[in-house]
mmCIF file of all heavy atoms in Angstrom:
data_model
loop_
_atom_site.group_PDB
_atom_site.id
_atom_site.type_symbol
_atom_site.label_atom_id
_atom_site.label_comp_id
_atom_site.label_asym_id
_atom_site.label_seq_id
_atom_site.Cartn_x
_atom_site.Cartn_y
_atom_site.Cartn_z
ATOM 1 N N SER A 1 0.812 -1.216 0.000
ATOM 2 C CA SER A 1 0.000 0.000 0.000
ATOM 3 C C SER A 1 0.844 1.264 0.000
ATOM 4 O O SER A 1 0.299 2.376 -0.040
ATOM 5 C CB SER A 1 -0.920 0.037 1.233
ATOM 6 O OG SER A 1 -1.819 -1.055 1.224
ATOM 7 N N TYR A 2 2.163 1.093 0.046
ATOM 8 C CA TYR A 2 3.066 2.227 0.192
ATOM 9 C C TYR A 2 3.931 2.421 -1.037
ATOM 10 O O TYR A 2 4.554 1.462 -1.531
ATOM 11 C CB TYR A 2 3.978 2.037 1.402
ATOM 12 C CG TYR A 2 3.256 2.099 2.724
ATOM 13 C CD1 TYR A 2 2.594 0.989 3.224
ATOM 14 C CD2 TYR A 2 3.222 3.278 3.457
ATOM 15 C CE1 TYR A 2 1.924 1.050 4.427
ATOM 16 C CE2 TYR A 2 2.563 3.350 4.662
ATOM 17 C CZ TYR A 2 1.909 2.235 5.146
ATOM 18 O OH TYR A 2 1.248 2.306 6.336
ATOM 19 N N ALA A 3 3.978 3.659 -1.514
ATOM 20 C CA ALA A 3 5.033 4.056 -2.430
ATOM 21 C C ALA A 3 6.298 4.260 -1.600
ATOM 22 O O ALA A 3 6.223 4.687 -0.446
ATOM 23 C CB ALA A 3 4.660 5.336 -3.164
ATOM 24 N N MET A 4 7.442 3.944 -2.186
ATOM 25 C CA MET A 4 8.695 3.972 -1.440
ATOM 26 C C MET A 4 9.695 4.900 -2.111
ATOM 27 O O MET A 4 9.664 5.099 -3.334
ATOM 28 C CB MET A 4 9.287 2.566 -1.352
ATOM 29 C CG MET A 4 8.390 1.545 -0.679
ATOM 30 S SD MET A 4 8.052 1.927 1.046
ATOM 31 C CE MET A 4 9.699 1.780 1.759
ATOM 32 N N GLY A 5 10.593 5.425 -1.303
ATOM 33 C CA GLY A 5 11.634 6.279 -1.832
ATOM 34 C C GLY A 5 12.937 6.100 -1.078
ATOM 35 O O GLY A 5 12.953 5.592 0.048
ATOM 36 N N TRP A 6 14.018 6.473 -1.744
ATOM 37 C CA TRP A 6 15.336 6.546 -1.123
ATOM 38 C C TRP A 6 15.811 7.995 -1.177
ATOM 39 O O TRP A 6 15.689 8.655 -2.217
ATOM 40 C CB TRP A 6 16.342 5.663 -1.854
ATOM 41 C CG TRP A 6 16.214 4.201 -1.571
ATOM 42 C CD1 TRP A 6 15.583 3.270 -2.342
ATOM 43 C CD2 TRP A 6 16.748 3.496 -0.445
ATOM 44 N NE1 TRP A 6 15.677 2.032 -1.758
ATOM 45 C CE2 TRP A 6 16.401 2.138 -0.598
ATOM 46 C CE3 TRP A 6 17.491 3.865 0.678
ATOM 47 C CZ2 TRP A 6 16.755 1.165 0.326
ATOM 48 C CZ3 TRP A 6 17.849 2.900 1.598
ATOM 49 C CH2 TRP A 6 17.482 1.570 1.422
ATOM 50 N N PHE A 7 16.354 8.436 -0.055
ATOM 51 C CA PHE A 7 16.966 9.760 0.045
ATOM 52 C C PHE A 7 18.358 9.582 0.629
ATOM 53 O O PHE A 7 18.677 8.522 1.160
ATOM 54 C CB PHE A 7 16.126 10.670 0.962
ATOM 55 C CG PHE A 7 14.788 11.039 0.379
ATOM 56 C CD1 PHE A 7 13.746 10.123 0.353
ATOM 57 C CD2 PHE A 7 14.580 12.292 -0.165
ATOM 58 C CE1 PHE A 7 12.508 10.449 -0.194
ATOM 59 C CE2 PHE A 7 13.355 12.642 -0.706
ATOM 60 C CZ PHE A 7 12.323 11.708 -0.723
ATOM 61 N N ARG A 8 19.162 10.619 0.539
ATOM 62 C CA ARG A 8 20.490 10.560 1.149
ATOM 63 C C ARG A 8 20.862 11.925 1.714
ATOM 64 O O ARG A 8 20.361 12.961 1.255
ATOM 65 C CB ARG A 8 21.539 10.084 0.149
ATOM 66 C CG ARG A 8 21.804 11.044 -0.986
ATOM 67 C CD ARG A 8 22.754 10.412 -1.997
ATOM 68 N NE ARG A 8 23.067 11.317 -3.105
ATOM 69 C CZ ARG A 8 23.773 10.972 -4.176
ATOM 70 N NH1 ARG A 8 24.255 9.724 -4.296
ATOM 71 N NH2 ARG A 8 24.022 11.856 -5.129
ATOM 72 N N GLN A 9 21.744 11.877 2.696
ATOM 73 C CA GLN A 9 22.232 13.113 3.290
ATOM 74 C C GLN A 9 23.731 12.995 3.510
ATOM 75 O O GLN A 9 24.186 12.140 4.276
ATOM 76 C CB GLN A 9 21.523 13.421 4.612
ATOM 77 C CG GLN A 9 21.861 14.781 5.176
ATOM 78 C CD GLN A 9 20.914 15.195 6.279
ATOM 79 O OE1 GLN A 9 20.197 14.384 6.855
ATOM 80 N NE2 GLN A 9 20.892 16.493 6.593
ATOM 81 N N ALA A 10 24.454 13.832 2.814
ATOM 82 C CA ALA A 10 25.911 13.880 2.959
ATOM 83 C C ALA A 10 26.269 14.842 4.093
ATOM 84 O O ALA A 10 25.474 15.725 4.439
ATOM 85 C CB ALA A 10 26.542 14.330 1.653
ATOM 86 N N PRO A 11 27.461 14.684 4.668
ATOM 87 C CA PRO A 11 27.872 15.576 5.759
ATOM 88 C C PRO A 11 27.805 17.039 5.349
ATOM 89 O O PRO A 11 28.310 17.428 4.295
ATOM 90 C CB PRO A 11 29.317 15.136 6.022
ATOM 91 C CG PRO A 11 29.376 13.729 5.562
ATOM 92 C CD PRO A 11 28.455 13.646 4.389
ATOM 93 N N GLY A 12 27.137 17.832 6.160
ATOM 94 C CA GLY A 12 27.049 19.259 5.905
ATOM 95 C C GLY A 12 26.076 19.663 4.826
ATOM 96 O O GLY A 12 26.013 20.839 4.448
ATOM 97 N N LYS A 13 25.318 18.695 4.322
ATOM 98 C CA LYS A 13 24.371 19.003 3.247
ATOM 99 C C LYS A 13 22.959 18.613 3.653
ATOM 100 O O LYS A 13 22.746 17.858 4.594
ATOM 101 C CB LYS A 13 24.772 18.266 1.964
ATOM 102 C CG LYS A 13 26.094 18.718 1.378
ATOM 103 C CD LYS A 13 26.327 18.097 0.018
ATOM 104 C CE LYS A 13 27.602 18.618 -0.605
ATOM 105 N NZ LYS A 13 27.836 18.040 -1.958
ATOM 106 N N GLU A 14 21.997 19.133 2.909
ATOM 107 C CA GLU A 14 20.606 18.791 3.175
ATOM 108 C C GLU A 14 20.275 17.411 2.592
ATOM 109 O O GLU A 14 20.947 16.935 1.669
ATOM 110 C CB GLU A 14 19.685 19.859 2.571
ATOM 111 C CG GLU A 14 19.813 21.216 3.253
ATOM 112 C CD GLU A 14 18.745 22.190 2.801
ATOM 113 O OE1 GLU A 14 17.990 21.853 1.870
ATOM 114 O OE2 GLU A 14 18.678 23.283 3.370
ATOM 115 N N ARG A 15 19.233 16.825 3.121
ATOM 116 C CA ARG A 15 18.766 15.545 2.601
ATOM 117 C C ARG A 15 18.261 15.745 1.177
ATOM 118 O O ARG A 15 17.560 16.717 0.887
ATOM 119 C CB ARG A 15 17.653 14.989 3.481
ATOM 120 C CG ARG A 15 17.256 13.570 3.173
ATOM 121 C CD ARG A 15 16.307 13.027 4.222
ATOM 122 N NE ARG A 15 16.918 13.007 5.554
ATOM 123 C CZ ARG A 15 16.388 12.389 6.594
ATOM 124 N NH1 ARG A 15 15.242 11.734 6.472
ATOM 125 N NH2 ARG A 15 16.981 12.427 7.773
ATOM 126 N N GLU A 16 18.616 14.826 0.287
ATOM 127 C CA GLU A 16 18.205 14.953 -1.113
ATOM 128 C C GLU A 16 17.583 13.654 -1.620
ATOM 129 O O GLU A 16 17.904 12.564 -1.166
ATOM 130 C CB GLU A 16 19.402 15.331 -1.999
ATOM 131 C CG GLU A 16 20.484 14.288 -2.090
ATOM 132 C CD GLU A 16 21.575 14.653 -3.095
ATOM 133 O OE1 GLU A 16 21.491 15.722 -3.729
ATOM 134 O OE2 GLU A 16 22.517 13.849 -3.253
ATOM 135 N N PHE A 17 16.724 13.837 -2.583
ATOM 136 C CA PHE A 17 16.033 12.719 -3.219
ATOM 137 C C PHE A 17 17.009 11.902 -4.064
ATOM 138 O O PHE A 17 17.865 12.463 -4.750
ATOM 139 C CB PHE A 17 14.905 13.261 -4.095
ATOM 140 C CG PHE A 17 14.277 12.241 -4.993
ATOM 141 C CD1 PHE A 17 13.397 11.304 -4.480
ATOM 142 C CD2 PHE A 17 14.575 12.211 -6.347
ATOM 143 C CE1 PHE A 17 12.812 10.361 -5.305
ATOM 144 C CE2 PHE A 17 13.998 11.277 -7.182
ATOM 145 C CZ PHE A 17 13.116 10.352 -6.660
ATOM 146 N N VAL A 18 16.846 10.575 -4.017
ATOM 147 C CA VAL A 18 17.663 9.686 -4.842
ATOM 148 C C VAL A 18 16.800 8.942 -5.864
ATOM 149 O O VAL A 18 17.040 9.004 -7.063
ATOM 150 C CB VAL A 18 18.429 8.673 -3.974
ATOM 151 C CG1 VAL A 18 19.200 7.691 -4.841
ATOM 152 C CG2 VAL A 18 19.378 9.403 -3.016
ATOM 153 N N ALA A 19 15.778 8.233 -5.367
ATOM 154 C CA ALA A 19 14.963 7.416 -6.258
ATOM 155 C C ALA A 19 13.641 7.101 -5.576
ATOM 156 O O ALA A 19 13.547 7.128 -4.348
ATOM 157 C CB ALA A 19 15.687 6.122 -6.621
ATOM 158 N N ALA A 20 12.640 6.783 -6.391
ATOM 159 C CA ALA A 20 11.336 6.417 -5.852
ATOM 160 C C ALA A 20 10.704 5.358 -6.731
ATOM 161 O O ALA A 20 11.021 5.254 -7.924
ATOM 162 C CB ALA A 20 10.427 7.638 -5.748
ATOM 163 N N ILE A 21 9.777 4.607 -6.135
ATOM 164 C CA ILE A 21 9.118 3.523 -6.855
ATOM 165 C C ILE A 21 7.660 3.480 -6.443
ATOM 166 O O ILE A 21 7.316 3.731 -5.284
ATOM 167 C CB ILE A 21 9.836 2.181 -6.592
ATOM 168 C CG1 ILE A 21 9.331 1.079 -7.506
ATOM 169 C CG2 ILE A 21 9.729 1.781 -5.117
ATOM 170 C CD1 ILE A 21 10.228 -0.169 -7.500
ATOM 171 N N SER A 22 6.795 3.167 -7.391
ATOM 172 C CA SER A 22 5.370 3.110 -7.116
ATOM 173 C C SER A 22 5.014 1.852 -6.332
ATOM 174 O O SER A 22 5.820 0.937 -6.173
ATOM 175 C CB SER A 22 4.590 3.145 -8.439
ATOM 176 O OG SER A 22 4.967 2.056 -9.265
ATOM 177 N N LYS A 23 3.767 1.807 -5.861
ATOM 178 C CA LYS A 23 3.310 0.670 -5.069
ATOM 179 C C LYS A 23 3.481 -0.652 -5.793
ATOM 180 O O LYS A 23 3.842 -1.669 -5.186
ATOM 181 C CB LYS A 23 1.820 0.832 -4.726
ATOM 182 C CG LYS A 23 1.514 1.903 -3.736
ATOM 183 C CD LYS A 23 0.105 1.773 -3.170
ATOM 184 C CE LYS A 23 -0.976 1.588 -4.197
ATOM 185 N NZ LYS A 23 -2.323 1.613 -3.580
ATOM 186 N N ASN A 24 3.195 -0.650 -7.089
ATOM 187 C CA ASN A 24 3.238 -1.904 -7.841
ATOM 188 C C ASN A 24 4.609 -2.160 -8.471
ATOM 189 O O ASN A 24 4.793 -3.153 -9.163
ATOM 190 C CB ASN A 24 2.158 -1.918 -8.925
ATOM 191 C CG ASN A 24 2.302 -0.771 -9.907
ATOM 192 O OD1 ASN A 24 3.271 -0.026 -9.880
ATOM 193 N ND2 ASN A 24 1.315 -0.628 -10.777
ATOM 194 N N GLY A 25 5.542 -1.260 -8.226
ATOM 195 C CA GLY A 25 6.905 -1.463 -8.716
ATOM 196 C C GLY A 25 7.112 -1.139 -10.174
ATOM 197 O O GLY A 25 8.218 -1.298 -10.692
ATOM 198 N N ILE A 26 6.077 -0.680 -10.853
ATOM 199 C CA ILE A 26 6.195 -0.459 -12.300
ATOM 200 C C ILE A 26 6.847 0.875 -12.615
ATOM 201 O O ILE A 26 7.682 0.984 -13.515
ATOM 202 C CB ILE A 26 4.813 -0.564 -12.967
ATOM 203 C CG1 ILE A 26 4.344 -2.027 -12.927
ATOM 204 C CG2 ILE A 26 4.840 -0.026 -14.401
ATOM 205 C CD1 ILE A 26 2.987 -2.256 -13.518
ATOM 206 N N ASN A 27 6.471 1.915 -11.890
ATOM 207 C CA ASN A 27 7.022 3.246 -12.154
ATOM 208 C C ASN A 27 8.164 3.562 -11.201
ATOM 209 O O ASN A 27 8.071 3.328 -9.990
ATOM 210 C CB ASN A 27 5.937 4.309 -12.018
ATOM 211 C CG ASN A 27 5.000 4.313 -13.203
ATOM 212 O OD1 ASN A 27 5.244 3.643 -14.197
ATOM 213 N ND2 ASN A 27 3.926 5.074 -13.100
ATOM 214 N N THR A 28 9.228 4.105 -11.771
ATOM 215 C CA THR A 28 10.372 4.550 -10.977
ATOM 216 C C THR A 28 10.798 5.927 -11.450
ATOM 217 O O THR A 28 10.538 6.329 -12.594
ATOM 218 C CB THR A 28 11.559 3.580 -11.111
ATOM 219 O OG1 THR A 28 11.924 3.466 -12.488
ATOM 220 C CG2 THR A 28 11.224 2.204 -10.569
ATOM 221 N N VAL A 29 11.458 6.643 -10.570
ATOM 222 C CA VAL A 29 11.992 7.962 -10.917
ATOM 223 C C VAL A 29 13.311 8.134 -10.170
ATOM 224 O O VAL A 29 13.480 7.614 -9.062
ATOM 225 C CB VAL A 29 10.978 9.075 -10.576
ATOM 226 C CG1 VAL A 29 10.678 9.110 -9.096
ATOM 227 C CG2 VAL A 29 11.453 10.422 -11.064
#
């Protein structure tokens, strides 16, 4: 039921978007 995402945060920097995937796994960004 959940769309999922990955983010990352490097030292001294803000958290940034890396990748995301839809509930059914078909769409990614």
